[in-house]
Amino acid sequence: MSKRTLDVLGAIFVLLFFLPVGLVMLVGIRCCRPGPIFFREETLGLNGRTFGRWRLYRPAQDESLFDQVLWRAGLGDLPSAVNVIDGDMSLIGPRPQSPGQDAYLRKGRPDYGRRLEARPGMIWPRGAEGEPSWSAELDYVARWSVLADLRVAALYAVQGLFREEQGVD
């Protein structure tokens, strides 16, 4: 089975599994604050191609407790499953970055561009300490396999589901 097939089937499963949670999220957001629920963030994808990544809208100010809980639980990127189905992202892959973040990070890491040899993921490779790391992402890109995806997913489920935010937004 190919990575793309696993991605599409996995994204459909994620959307169906989280459908009840998604409905509660939509109602909760609408009750807690005005404004948009979703937004599209310009993101670099495979081979540096840009696309609009779907995410929950996160207010810069006056964030509600409900918003904080959603983001802390890692549900802010749940709409990105649509990008996986569209082929712009994978379930598992390097952290999605905006063009501005990419330009800044390339200055300090000459090998940073190798991350664009894979589609960005909803779930990111983590280092031994359980935190996302550039070296874990580069290693993932160089040595991708179905077992690598299963390992990353298992580590995410065990270590990262209710994590402190990683500050990449």
Side-chain angles (χ1 to χ4, degrees), residues 40-118:
R40 290 185 75 168
E41 176 181 56
E42 185 179 16
T43 304
L44 287 178
L46 183 64
N47 299 319
R49 187 180 71 77
T50 59
F51 67 95
R53 175 179 165 212
W54 285 104
R55 303 180 81 191
L56 288 180
Y57 177 76
R58 186 171 193 180
Q61 299 174 359
D62 302 324
E63 186 175 60
S64 71
L65 178 61
F66 192 76
D67 286 316
Q68 292 172 19
V69 169
L70 290 177
W71 282 92
R72 185 171 179 128
L75 299 175
D77 289 324
L78 196 55
S80 296
V82 172
N83 294 112
V84 174
I85 293 169
D86 285 346
D88 292 321
M89 292 180 72
S90 287
L91 283 176
I92 298 168
R95 279 178 277 201
Q97 301 289 342
S98 70
Q101 290 169 321
D102 180 72
Y104 174 78
L105 294 169
R106 278 181 190 258
K107 291 178 186 175
R109 291 235 27 182
D111 58 349
Y112 180 80
R114 286 192 24 234
R115 297 175 67 258
L116 298 176
E117 294 173 11

